[in-house]
Amino acid sequence: MKLNKVLVSAAALSGIAAAGTAANADTVSVKAGDTVSELAQKFNTTVEAIQKANNLKNVNFITVGEQLNIPANDNTQQQVQQPQANAAQVQQEQAAIAQQQAAQRQAQLAAQQKAAQAQAALQAQQAAQAAAAQKQAEEQAAQQAAAQKAQQEAAAAQAAKEQQEKAEQAAQAQAAAQKQAEEQAAAKKAQEEAQQQAAAAQAAKEQQEKAAQQAQQAQQAAAQKQAEEAAAQAAANAKAAQQRAAQQAQAQQQQQKQQVAQQNTQQQAANNNNQQSNNNNNSNSSEAAAKAWIVAHESGGNYSARNGQYIGAYQLSASYLHGDYSQANQDRVANQYVASRYGNWVNAQKHWEQCGWY
């Protein structure tokens, strides 16, 4: 029994000496996976001693490469200083050490659990930060999307404005073209109406000319008939005179031959005079009809008519009238003009009918 106790004591002392040697280490460099509790267990000290020696705010957070001071354990030093304690005391001390180690393991477990909780809290914080960052990124993306949408809407509004301006310009051009077309149509219509009026005037003029021709022909026929009647009457008168002269000649016989011859001569002269008078009447009637026809076609008989430089019933040039537009001067100048140019009014009418002027 004594030997066993000595062996156990020696073993305990050897362990204590070994632990004391480990506990006297000045510093250790933290490696990956190290914790304060593991280091306390490894170097046979406590978490609180390491925390106090290094002023650690949180024993659950140490970094790789960090230099930690490992303090010596007082219990171990006392065991080194008292190498001759009895076996019972050694056993008690071993029990105390075991109890302490158990407490340390429990504390280590608690620290690990606390570290796990802290790690979970850190992960939750990191997750919250990640969520906040993601939310911020989403907000930034939403802002960018909103800005992009605003830019697109502004571009669409600008494009719509430009399109509207183009449409307004096209509408203005179309309205101008339509107005021009309407003006052209109105001008064409006015031209057609003027042409129609001119055609109507021409038709009226032709109708008037035709009526004047018919009137002239009627006048000529009446004048010719009158001349024929006058000639017939003159012939009858001449025949009666001849009969009377023959009767007188027969009654007076030879004595009145000279007188009868003289009477015959006188009668012949009278017949010649009558024929000449009839010819003059016919000529005067034709001249008057031709003159009236030209006046009707030139002015309708209006001595105040004007057409540019042409004035009066005969539409004579103003240079011919020399400022005197009276009816008498118009008649005189017209007669002179026709006589000098055509010889008479009948020829002037023929020229007008051929050329449309005289």
Side-chain angles (χ1 to χ4, degrees):
M1 293 296 291
K2 184 177 180 179
L3 180 61
N4 291 336
K5 289 181 180 179
V6 172
L7 292 173
V8 170
S9 178
L13 289 174
S14 177
I16 291 171
T21 302
N24 287 332
D26 293 335
T27 60
V28 294
S29 178
V30 178
K31 298 186 295 295
D34 286 345
T35 63
V36 176
S37 61
E38 290 178 349
L39 292 173
Q41 184 179 1
K42 180 178 180 180
F43 293 101
N44 196 20
T45 185
T46 62
V47 174
E48 290 78 4
I50 295 175
Q51 182 179 13
K52 185 177 180 181
N54 294 277
N55 294 322
L56 297 178
K57 294 180 180 180
N58 190 343
V59 296
N60 295 316
F61 292 98
I62 57 177
T63 60
V64 176
E66 184 178 358
Q67 301 295 318
L68 295 179
N69 294 322
I70 306 300
N73 193 314
D74 293 339
N75 292 329
T76 303
Q77 290 178 357
Q78 290 177 2
Q79 289 176 1
V80 173
Q81 294 173 359
Q82 297 175 1
Q84 297 177 356
N86 55 35
Q89 186 178 357
V90 171
Q91 290 178 353
Q92 289 177 356
E93 290 176 355
Q94 288 178 348
I97 291 172
Q99 186 177 359
Q100 184 180 5
Q101 290 178 349
Q104 288 178 352
R105 285 194 295 270
Q106 187 175 0
Q108 184 179 4
L109 291 175
Q112 290 177 352
Q113 184 176 4
K114 187 176 181 181
Q117 292 176 354
Q119 186 69 22
L122 178 61
Q123 292 177 353
Q125 183 179 2
Q126 292 176 350
Q129 291 176 353
Q134 183 177 2
K135 183 177 180 182
Q136 185 177 3
E138 291 176 352
E139 290 176 353
Q140 291 178 353
Q143 291 177 356
Q144 291 178 355
Q148 186 176 3
K149 182 178 180 181
Q151 290 177 355
Q152 291 176 352
E153 290 177 352
Q158 182 66 25
K161 183 179 179 181
E162 293 176 354
Q163 189 68 23
Q164 184 177 2
E165 291 176 353
K166 290 181 180 179
E168 291 176 354
Q169 292 176 357
Q172 291 176 358
Q174 185 176 3
Q178 184 175 2
K179 183 177 180 182
Q180 184 178 4
E182 291 176 354
E183 291 176 353
Q184 291 177 353
K188 184 178 180 181
K189 183 177 180 181
Q191 184 178 3
E192 291 177 352
E193 290 178 354
Q195 291 177 352
Q196 291 176 356
Q197 291 177 357
Q202 182 66 26
K205 185 176 181 181
E206 291 176 355
Q207 188 68 25
Q208 186 178 4
E209 291 174 355
K210 185 176 181 181
Q213 289 176 357
Q214 291 176 353
Q216 182 181 5
Q217 291 175 358
Q219 290 177 356
Q220 291 177 352
Q224 185 176 0
K225 183 177 180 182
Q226 184 178 2
E228 290 175 354
E229 290 177 352
Q233 184 65 35
N237 292 335
K239 186 176 180 180
Q242 289 176 356
Q243 288 177 355
R244 288 194 299 271
Q247 290 174 359
Q248 290 176 0
Q250 289 176 0
Q252 293 178 359
Q253 295 179 358
Q254 294 299 326
Q255 294 178 356
Q256 297 179 350
K257 284 183 179 180
Q258 187 177 358
Q259 183 178 0
V260 170
Q262 186 177 0
Q263 289 178 351
N264 289 335
T265 302
Q266 293 176 352
Q267 186 64 40
Q268 185 65 36
N271 290 337
N272 291 335
N273 289 333
N274 289 335
Q275 185 66 34
Q276 184 66 32
S277 176
N278 290 334
N279 291 334
N280 290 335
N281 289 334
N282 290 335
S283 177
N284 291 334
S285 177
S286 298
E287 284 289 291
K291 185 177 182 180
W293 187 91
I294 289 178
V295 168
H297 283 72
E298 289 292 332
S299 66
N302 184 7
Y303 280 86
S304 299
R306 286 178 177 269
N307 183 15
Q309 65 174 343
Y310 301 105
I311 298 173
Y314 303 94
Q315 290 293 285
L316 297 170
S317 176
S319 60
Y320 290 168
L321 296 174
H322 301 289
D324 185 1
Y325 303 145
S326 63
Q327 180 175 348
N329 190 52
Q330 291 184 32
D331 291 338
R332 181 180 61 79
V333 172
N335 289 330
Q336 291 176 354
Y337 171 77
V338 169
S340 63
R341 186 177 181 88
Y342 302 104
N344 54 54
W345 284 98
V346 173
N347 293 334
Q349 179 183 349
K350 291 178 180 179
H351 184 275
W352 201 105
E353 290 173 347
Q354 292 176 357
C355 303
W357 56 276
Y358 77 105

